[in-house]
Amino acid sequence: MEGTRVALLAALFACLSPCLSAEGGPTPASQKALLDRYCVGCHSAKLKTGGVVLEGIDLTHAGNHAEVLEKVIRKLQTGEMPPPGLPRPDAATYTTLAKWIEDSIDRYSAANPNPGRPVIHRLNRSEYSDTIRDLLALDTKPGALLPVDDSGFGFDNIGDVLSVSPALLERYMSAARRISRMAVGEPGMKPTEEEFSARTLGMRTTRNERVSDDLPFDSRGGMAFEYYFPVDAEYQIRIKLNGGDSAGNATPYEIRMPVKAGLRTVGVDFLRDSTKPEIIPTAGGRRGGGGAAPPGGAGRGAKPLTAEMDLRIDGAKIKRFEPTEGFGFPQVDRVIIDGPYNPTSAGDTPSREKVFVCRPPAGGKDDDPCARMILTNLAHRAFRRPVADTDVQPLMAFYKQGKQDAGFDMGIEKALRAMLVSPDFVFRIERDPAGKAPGTVYRIGDVELASRLSYFLWSSMPDQTLQDLAEKGKLKDPAVLAQQVRRMLDDPRSQSLVDNFISQWLTLRNIALAKPDPDAFPEFDESLRQAFNTETELFTQNIIREDRPVTELLDANYTFLNERLAQHYGINNIYGSQFRKVTLTDPNRGGLLGQGSILTVTSYPNRTSVVQRGKWILENLLGSPPPPPPPDIPDLKPTSHDGHQLTIREAMQQHRANPVCASCHVRMDPLGFAMENYDGVGKWRTKEAGTEIDPSGKMPDGSSFRGPAELKKSLLASHRDEYLTTLTSKLLTYALGRGLEYYDMPAVRSITRQAAKDDYRVSALVTAIVQSTPFQMRRIPEE
Amino acid sequence: MIVTKKALARRTFLRGLGTTLAIPFLDAMVPALKAGTTAKASVRTAFVYVPNGIIMKDWTPAAEGAGYEFMPAMKALEPFRENMLVLSGLAQVNGRALGDGAGDHARAGATWLTGVHPKKTEVAIHAGISADQMLARELGKQTQLGSLEVGLESPSLAGDCDSGYSCAYTNTISWRNPTTPMPVEVNPRAVFERMFGDGESTDAVARLASMKEQSSILDYIRGDVARLSNGLGGSDRNKLDQYLEAIRDIERRIQKAEEQNATMKMPVMERPTGIPDEFEDHAHLMMDLQVLAFQADMTRVISFMMAREGSNRSYRSIGITDGHHSVTHHMNDPEKIAKTAKINTHHVETFAYFINKLKSTPDGDGTLLDHSQILYGSSISDGNAHTHHDLPIALIGGAAGRIKGGRHVRYPKETPLNNLLLTMMDHTGVRIDQLGDSTGELKLLSI
């Protein structure tokens, strides 16, 4: 007895010092003991469950096992492991384990940074368009004519996946030709025809409202678009309406007129008063229905009603037509622009201003110095780095050839054309410094950093300010860098974060492809689709502009509405087609999960999908996508054996009954059920299939909620960290243009911690990313 | 011929193209292999793909041999009975899971012309070389364009497209090499410009001048790439190598164009302005361009996807508002089966336009159809169960006398489709020992 007591005391003492180290905190030994006790049973070297082996890991050198330990951290954070039913430590120990492993790895990573290495990065379509816009003041979106880019990790700016094919190179060459011609303004251009369709532009509407900000307040219908008139010349503009006369011919409404070169807004609209429905019904007739081919007996014998149609350029009325089609409700089908004819001069366009930084002296001799100046300036900007004689010499050769053919301007055009297909332009190239050993980690130069920064925040080239700072080496100063980030976020070009990052992260590009069934959702039309897009765009743009915390994306109490959308959401007293910020009183709406865009994109054409919505949340907000389903899943049966309509919840009961299904569906379905009050196009409903909807959901970790408002609260309460980590990871992927690896996780954690200091505001998150190891550094590969 | 404009003023027609050349058919259209020889007309090959399988009971004829009854799905092709073979029993077994789990659509798209099981990944894609690209490598030496890859449905947007497989696998059926999928062009204007350049005119002199310009630009780029490659890591250099390869491709094309320019007269066609709204209009326009490409010998290899694999588009013009993919998972619901059958029939009817046009276009001593071989089918047979054997396959055309039509031939179970591809390649004079999982050439095509 005495012996055992001593032994016990001795054991206690022996335990005391390591156990009491750091005030009784965790140690490598104690944490390893946890792993051995709760994990190695399955994850042994012999069984290798799930491909993960935790036996024999040396936690004193956690950094050496970062890859597998990151997986452990993930599972601990989501609470998935050990699997439900198997023993696990108490909550405090559990959390401590996760945190301890994280800290160990972070410590190791701070001492041994691994920034990875993005592959040389080809400009994607939108980057190409935006770079041309900023280089040459030519906003004609030439990227739209390039083949569609492949995407990876959810984004289309991933260097590894952006390949070059002969078809792509051909398109680059023809695009370069077109662009250089328009930028320089070649008077010898042959006329071409270009067609703009109202439907493709999303301006086809059956509603009697103003369709575009570029058209006057008192207008109805029509269409507006931007067109680049390449040179001062005559252009023929033709308007084609829907319907036409009884022979099916559409009378062309046209005008041929001189227009000065430049990007102009061309608009066609109808005057409001003239299109008021004051048609007197005749025998067999009915009120004119917006432009469709008139029904047989309607209006025969009645005098056709004229509308007043205005053609506008840059808002100014050029000509008024009086079409008789459409019985007072004509609709524009398309506008065709033909030209240039009889060009008078190259014109005075902003792009000529950018290109011609000097003019050659009169006389046609001594042109070369000015040409050299022009081309050096262009190459400097186009290649996004200082240029040397080796860069400019070959361009001068093109210039000389072109000048011989058709003069100074043509010479510059030819050189520009070559520049635009050079790999220096089309690729973002980062070069390793010479003489460094493989495996070395170094900070990239300022010039390269400037490119990374501008393509991250603007999807385009650095502007003069940024480039100057970079070339002077000032970007090394963190204060200067932070200031530039703020400036760039405030700049209108940061719209690209909405157009490219947000739209891909939230899978919003699928809105354009959604086809809700007209029988199930008769109220869905093109103007609602547009409204969905605009709402989410304005909402996210506002978060960025106003530098709001990113959590507000989920729990905002406001949104942006116009009359159409407000009606759809059941919100009263919103009039007019303009969007405006509206404070919401209903806690269910508000935030991304209450927006029609996301609700429609996660539904089937004729009904909601609980699973798709759950999956969307798991994948895009919580970063834990479910694995793909097994093949041959049967369709939902909408009626039970006795023929009564089943609710979705009833129909999906297999997900809960069958354990194979349940393993994944317990995480997805509750989230989707909570959103069931929103139908397949985002409208609020209380009944489905004749029964009251039950919007309750219970997650495997015990949290439960009823309806969207509580779901949002719960997400931000219990899953805030996952949301923030997911957003950070996605934004970092987009910023780096490569997928994230296990060695990037310390950076993700450090960025999130940093952003926390400023309430997770957008600028804080972006600045933290810009200052992070993978963004600022590179690693020389071991060949 | 162009369906986007109804009443087309003649002035517009000319304006858009500068000078146009009206053209009766000239013998110069038949590519002369050597001066003075009456060479056998060269064989054109096209692979036409429809996704998500076909309702097989509406496709497979009951009888074998000649005189079989045309089933409902392929009724539209009955006028071409003597020009076609229905081939049953072929398979792409590498489209099966083979341990990789879900993703039959991705595998279908990636195996149809390759016979190689693709790697299950979102980023580091790896499939095989497709038959059309094998052909293009050889035949492309004689034509301006190695091959054309065209389609009617835009590539899918961001995200994985089928259970963890990259969208590249469903966006295309054509693979230049195991890691380079060929992009599919859906805009008729872009296809036109690929064939005739972006000049407004198809005038021979102007085209030659513009080609010379292109050459000098290509030289410049090549020099630039060489300079840049120094100091870049291995994977970076690979990317630039792709650029170099693309340059070589275009240079070869320019050279070919210069050679053919002397004798070739370009048939007249107006440059299309964009993608037509209706499926049928779009399809007809694309098929017009393909016939033109064959006619002018711009290329002898085309792959044409009538929709992406896994396509879920609806076909409103025939009254189907559901997504295609959705209805093919019919779970034996007769209404869904009927809808799928309707889509299948619509595809074949649209395709028949192509065959009809080939048949009505003279080519040397016969018609284009006589000198072509067109493969029509899918890489999935039962869209509901995602099966990859007993595929719906029809071979139309004469391949310059090497195919004898009018029959339904059934092959032993799981005969590789690649055997057919190998045989088709042989018809053009491109003889290789093996492609993907092929085991030899297919018999019975010519007796």
Side-chain angles (χ1 to χ4, degrees):
Chain A
M1 276 306 271
E2 189 58 40
T4 29
R5 202 176 295 147
V6 170
L8 270 175
L9 273 175
L12 196 56
F13 272 113
C15 182
L16 260 181
S17 34
C19 290
L20 280 179
S21 61
E23 281 103 45
T27 64
S30 67
Q31 302 309 295
K32 179 148 194 312
L34 290 173
L35 288 182
D36 284 339
R37 183 162 161 196
Y38 295 101
C39 315
V40 173
C42 295
H43 296 290
S44 61
K46 191 159 160 211
L47 290 176
K48 293 197 187 50
T49 314
V52 172
V53 176
L54 292 175
E55 191 178 342
I57 289 207
D58 177 11
L59 285 183
T60 50
H61 295 104
N64 292 343
H65 305 278
E67 191 165 0
V68 71
L69 284 176
E70 287 289 349
K71 291 192 185 146
V72 172
I73 293 175
R74 258 201 73 69
K75 291 296 182 192
L76 292 177
Q77 276 175 346
T78 56
E80 273 170 74
M81 284 286 147
L86 291 182
R88 58 168 68 184
D90 60 81
T93 318
Y94 193 90
T95 336
T96 312
L97 175 62
K99 187 111 196 2
W100 186 88
I101 301 182
E102 245 182 53
D103 287 346
S104 311
I105 298 191
D106 286 350
R107 264 197 306 268
Y108 172 81
S109 163
N112 306 282
N114 184 351
R117 182 192 180 78
V119 173
I120 188 177
H121 191 128
R122 192 200 95 211
L123 297 184
N124 71 14
R125 296 161 99 207
S126 49
E127 288 168 348
Y128 183 85
S129 287
D130 291 348
T131 309
I132 297 282
R133 174 198 66 200
D134 292 339
L135 179 67
L136 297 171
L138 210 54
D139 198 2
T140 51
K141 309 252 182 298
L145 295 173
L146 300 175
V148 175
D149 299 306
D150 284 319
S151 37
F153 306 108
F155 297 105
D156 63 2
N157 68 343
I158 305 295
D160 245 318
V161 179
L162 292 170
S163 50
V164 178
S165 61
L168 178 62
L169 182 54
E170 279 175 26
R171 307 249 99 230
Y172 275 152
M173 296 192 66
S174 66
R177 183 156 171 224
R178 210 170 306 184
I179 292 168
S180 58
R181 193 187 272 174
M182 281 202 277
V184 169
E186 180 191 314
M189 280 176 78
K190 293 218 181 57
T192 48
E193 203 177 81
E194 211 166 324
E195 201 175 273
F196 297 87
S197 146
R199 196 202 280 193
T200 328
L201 289 171
M203 288 183 177
R204 182 78 78 78
T205 175
T206 50
R207 296 177 84 92
N208 218 3
E209 60 191 17
R210 176 172 173 238
V211 292
S212 160
D213 283 349
D214 296 316
L215 297 173
F217 281 113
D218 60 352
S219 71
R220 294 280 190 237
M223 57 187 279
F225 55 91
E226 287 191 326
Y227 182 74
Y228 193 85
F229 293 89
V231 291
D232 289 351
E234 281 176 16
Y235 295 86
Q236 173 126 347
I237 303 177
R238 258 176 303 149
I239 305 165
K240 294 268 184 82
L241 299 179
N242 263 347
D245 62 22
S246 52
N249 292 320
T251 324
Y253 295 96
E254 57 188 29
I255 178 175
R256 179 160 159 154
M257 53 176 285
V259 182
K260 285 211 163 287
L263 188 68
R264 302 196 182 288
T265 312
V266 178
V268 181
D269 64 87
F270 299 97
L271 209 51
R272 174 189 184 154
D273 287 333
S274 71
T275 57
K276 267 202 195 126
E278 286 171 10
I279 305 165
I280 300 141
T282 57
R286 57 184 171 96
R287 289 168 73 138
R300 188 166 290 157
K303 179 163 169 275
L305 273 150
T306 57
E308 317 238 317
M309 180 170 77
D310 289 335
L311 172 64
R312 294 172 186 280
I313 294 190
D314 284 341
K317 181 170 82 183
I318 303 296
K319 182 159 179 185
R320 172 163 287 180
F321 300 95
E322 290 187 348
T324 51
E325 283 86 335
F327 290 85
F329 267 107
Q331 271 199 330
V332 177
D333 184 35
R334 50 210 147 103
V335 174
I336 305 170
I337 302 188
D338 221 335
Y341 296 105
N342 305 329
T344 48
S345 87
D348 229 336
T349 58
S351 41
R352 275 182 68 83
E353 224 178 278
K354 278 218 173 216
V355 170
F356 292 99
V357 292
C358 65
R359 291 294 323 177
K365 301 206 176 5
D366 277 348
D367 287 352
D368 287 6
C370 178
R372 184 172 286 271
M373 188 167 6
I374 291 178
L375 294 180
T376 309
N377 174 57
L378 269 179
H380 184 184
R381 308 218 54 231
F383 299 166
R384 304 175 290 269
R385 58 169 173 79
V387 293
D389 209 46
T390 42
D391 294 307
V392 182
Q393 240 352 83
L395 297 173
M396 287 298 287
F398 281 107
Y399 149 76
K400 289 203 169 79
Q401 179 64 43
K403 172 160 179 226
Q404 206 172 44
D405 287 342
F408 185 82
D409 282 10
M410 176 60 86
I412 299 295
E413 185 186 310
K414 287 246 150 70
L416 179 55
R417 197 188 301 182
M419 231 186 284
L420 292 178
V421 288
S422 158
D424 272 303
F425 175 72
V426 160
F427 288 95
R428 280 157 51 194
I429 302 189
E430 292 177 358
R431 323 193 57 150
D432 294 325
K436 289 253 163 82
T440 320
V441 161
Y442 65 95
R443 191 184 174 285
I444 66 177
D446 274 11
V447 169
E448 296 174 344
L449 184 62
S451 262
R452 282 199 187 186
L453 199 49
S454 68
Y455 279 98
F456 172 26
L457 298 179
W458 291 344
S459 294
S460 181
M461 57 185 269
D463 64 356
Q464 199 64 51
T465 314
L466 190 61
Q467 197 165 27
D468 284 342
L469 284 171
E471 286 174 10
K472 294 197 183 102
K474 294 257 170 65
L475 287 183
K476 291 190 184 36
D477 180 350
V480 173
L481 195 52
Q483 186 197 53
Q484 286 304 300
V485 167
R486 276 227 128 85
R487 174 180 81 89
M488 293 172 80
L489 281 175
D490 280 339
D491 188 290
R493 280 168 282 196
S494 67
Q495 174 70 17
S496 72
L497 279 175
V498 173
D499 294 338
N500 296 330
F501 173 68
I502 298 275
S503 70
Q504 292 184 82
W505 169 45
L506 300 177
T507 68
L508 293 175
R509 290 186 175 175
N510 291 330
I511 269 285
L513 307 173
K515 288 185 163 60
D517 185 19
D519 288 325
F521 304 112
E523 72 271 24
F524 184 83
D525 61 16
E526 289 308 302
S527 70
L528 192 58
R529 190 201 299 272
Q530 280 287 84
F532 285 164
N533 259 328
T534 313
E535 178 194 15
T536 307
E537 215 179 280
L538 288 176
F539 177 70
T540 45
Q541 201 183 78
N542 184 67
I543 300 261
I544 298 176
R545 281 297 147 69
E546 304 275 318
D547 204 16
R548 305 297 304 153
V550 294
T551 43
E552 206 162 286
L553 282 168
L554 292 182
D555 66 1
N557 66 347
Y558 59 89
T559 187
F560 289 78
L561 302 175
N562 68 357
E563 183 177 341
R564 176 85 175 85
L565 196 53
Q567 267 178 17
H568 187 68
Y569 288 165
I571 297 173
N572 295 324
N573 298 327
I574 310 282
Y575 302 106
S577 57
Q578 285 292 78
F579 274 84
R580 78 295 311 266
K581 187 170 174 185
V582 174
T583 313
L584 298 164
T585 47
D586 176 5
N588 286 311
R589 288 278 174 200
L592 292 172
L593 293 179
Q595 296 187 356
S597 56
I598 288 165
L599 295 167
T600 308
V601 146
T602 50
S603 301
Y604 289 125
N606 53 3
R607 64 169 173 87
T608 59
S609 168
V610 166
V611 172
Q612 275 200 56
R613 285 185 177 165
K615 178 167 177 269
W616 191 94
I617 294 179
L618 286 180
E619 209 168 293
N620 300 311
L621 298 182
L622 300 180
S624 61
D632 297 345
I633 301 288
D635 230 12
L636 284 187
K637 287 202 179 19
T639 50
S640 70
H641 321 285
D642 52 10
H644 93 264
Q645 275 254 305
L646 293 174
T647 61
I648 296 264
R649 195 181 284 262
E650 287 166 344
M652 285 170 66
Q653 69 94 17
Q654 270 280 56
H655 288 184
R656 300 181 287 285
N658 183 332
V660 171
C661 309
S663 60
C664 301
H665 279 276
V666 279
R667 291 196 298 134
M668 275 191 281
D669 294 5
L671 300 169
F673 281 132
M675 312 243 289
E676 268 293 282
N677 284 115
Y678 291 127
D679 72 6
V681 287
K683 205 179 173 115
W684 183 268
R685 59 178 181 177
T686 44
K687 278 192 163 46
E688 183 245 328
T691 4
E692 279 289 316
I693 289 181
D694 169 18
S696 60
K698 186 161 166 160
M699 296 294 283
D701 65 6
S703 53
S704 69
F705 30 75
R706 254 191 97 73
E710 285 185 25
L711 170 62
K712 281 186 279 182
K713 268 218 197 89
S714 169
L715 283 177
L716 283 175
S718 349
H719 299 282
R720 196 152 175 267
D721 288 334
E722 284 147 67
Y723 167 64
L724 292 165
T725 307
T726 306
L727 176 49
T728 305
S729 305
K730 300 251 177 207
L731 195 51
L732 187 60
T733 304
Y734 178 79
L736 296 176
R738 65 169 173 84
L740 297 186
E741 302 283 338
Y742 70 90
Y743 50 77
D744 294 310
M745 297 320 290
V748 171
R749 289 193 282 268
S750 129
I751 291 168
T752 328
R753 275 196 295 269
Q754 179 117 333
K757 294 187 192 145
D758 197 7
D759 235 358
Y760 302 107
R761 290 180 186 279
V762 173
S763 63
L765 188 53
V766 170
T767 312
I769 288 182
V770 166
Q771 288 168 343
S772 69
T773 305
F775 197 82
Q776 294 222 348
M777 308 181 83
R778 252 159 88 85
R779 185 191 160 87
I780 301 194
E782 288 94 346
E783 282 286 355
Chain B
M1 168 153 87
I2 311 304
V3 294
T4 45
K5 305 182 208 333
K6 296 268 158 63
L8 190 59
R10 189 174 165 272
R11 269 169 44 227
T12 342
F13 185 72
L14 287 175
R15 235 188 266 139
L17 280 180
T19 19
T20 63
L21 305 165
I23 177 163
F25 176 71
L26 294 173
D27 271 356
M29 302 274 281
V30 176
L33 296 178
K34 285 195 173 58
T37 58
T38 42
K40 209 166 179 192
S42 50
V43 176
R44 293 18 170 238
T45 310
F47 302 99
V48 181
Y49 189 76
V50 286
N52 301 333
I54 292 187
I55 302 292
M56 294 308 284
K57 67 170 170 54
D58 282 349
W59 171 273
T60 315
E64 287 173 33
Y68 61 89
E69 189 189 320
F70 266 75
M71 301 300 283
M74 55 164 79
K75 210 78 177 128
L77 289 174
E78 192 160 7
F80 311 105
R81 177 193 282 274
E82 291 310 317
N83 303 109
M84 71 184 255
L85 290 175
V86 181
L87 307 173
S88 299
L90 300 171
Q92 278 294 5
V93 297
N94 281 301
R96 295 182 180 147
L98 307 180
D100 281 346
D104 284 287
H105 291 284
R107 287 191 291 265
T111 51
W112 201 55
L113 293 181
T114 65
V116 171
H117 188 78
K119 184 160 162 215
K120 184 162 188 167
T121 169
E122 252 194 75
V123 198
I125 49 183
H126 199 279
I129 309 184
S130 55
D132 66 316
Q133 291 305 304
M134 292 284 322
L135 279 174
R137 274 189 204 176
E138 271 309 307
L139 302 181
K141 294 178 186 158
Q142 299 164 37
T143 56
Q144 286 190 38
L145 286 176
S147 63
L148 264 187
E149 295 77 40
V150 294
L152 298 178
E153 194 177 357
S154 295
S156 175
L157 306 164
D160 86 88
C161 280
D162 191 10
S163 320
Y165 282 91
S166 160
C167 292
Y169 294 124
T170 45
N171 284 338
T172 185
I173 45 176
S174 185
W175 290 74
R176 192 181 177 80
N177 61 50
T179 50
T180 310
M182 299 298 280
V184 168
E185 192 52 74
V186 297
N187 189 334
R189 173 173 172 173
V191 176
F192 182 94
E193 289 176 353
R194 237 195 125 195
M195 300 203 299
F196 299 113
D198 76 305
E200 293 81 28
S201 140
T202 47
D203 172 69
V205 172
R207 290 186 67 228
L208 203 56
S210 104
M211 281 189 251
K212 276 207 162 46
E213 269 182 60
Q214 281 194 334
S215 281
S216 47
I217 295 186
L218 293 173
D219 282 337
Y220 162 67
I221 307 177
R222 205 193 295 107
D224 227 23
V225 173
R227 244 187 344 106
L228 280 172
S229 293
N230 294 330
L232 287 181
S235 46
D236 288 351
R237 232 179 287 134
N238 281 339
K239 276 263 152 17
L240 284 187
D241 278 345
Q242 284 182 347
Y243 214 60
L244 275 179
E245 225 190 274
I247 295 174
R248 269 194 288 272
D249 222 67
I250 300 187
E251 287 183 327
R252 197 200 30 77
R253 178 190 166 169
I254 291 176
Q255 201 182 10
K256 209 19 43 179
E258 283 171 350
E259 283 169 25
Q260 289 181 326
N261 226 6
T263 49
M264 177 95 46
K265 288 221 171 39
M266 217 45 66
V268 121
M269 183 172 176
E270 194 180 288
R271 170 171 64 184
T273 42
I275 301 183
D277 291 331
E278 289 301 320
F279 172 77
E280 248 184 78
D281 292 342
H282 190 190
H284 286 183
L285 187 50
M286 282 303 220
M287 294 190 271
D288 288 340
L289 287 165
Q290 290 172 61
V291 171
L292 188 58
F294 279 165
Q295 201 181 4
D297 204 31
M298 289 237 105
T299 182
R300 296 181 197 161
V301 183
I302 297 183
S303 68
F304 177 34
M305 295 183 84
M306 292 187 73
R308 265 191 295 111
E309 178 48 67
S311 163
N312 205 29
R313 69 174 294 169
S314 55
Y315 290 87
R316 274 197 252 259
S317 57
I318 53 169
I320 311 250
T321 50
D322 310 55
H324 183 189
H325 178 231
S326 304
V327 290
T328 56
H329 282 282
H330 50 69
M331 300 312 300
N332 297 319
D333 169 12
E335 202 182 310
K336 288 209 177 135
I337 295 181
K339 286 185 176 166
T340 309
K342 213 165 169 193
I343 297 179
N344 297 154
T345 314
H346 187 53
H347 281 158
V348 176
E349 282 167 359
T350 311
F351 172 66
Y353 174 91
F354 185 40
I355 302 298
N356 194 31
K357 206 145 184 196
L358 288 171
K359 191 159 189 184
S360 0
T361 307
D363 183 53
D365 56 352
T367 69
L368 259 189
L369 189 59
D370 295 333
H371 303 149
S372 303
Q373 43 180 10
I374 317 289
L375 178 59
Y376 178 91
S378 183
S379 195
I380 290 181
S381 49
D382 181 349
N384 189 42
H386 286 171
T387 49
H388 297 271
H389 57 273
D390 205 18
L391 298 174
I393 300 284
L395 186 60
I396 303 119
R402 297 177 182 83
I403 298 178
K404 183 170 179 307
R407 299 172 292 128
H408 169 214
V409 186
R410 179 168 279 285
Y411 291 97
K413 200 157 175 272
E414 297 194 1
T415 304
L417 179 63
N418 274 42
N419 288 4
L420 174 61
L421 298 176
L422 208 62
T423 319
M424 286 176 74
M425 288 170 64
D426 194 6
H427 288 169
T428 68
V430 176
R431 196 166 274 132
I432 57 167
D433 290 328
Q434 220 225 352
L435 180 74
D437 65 343
S438 67
T439 56
E441 294 201 7
L442 216 53
K443 308 259 184 289
L444 304 178
L445 292 182
S446 55
I447 49 149

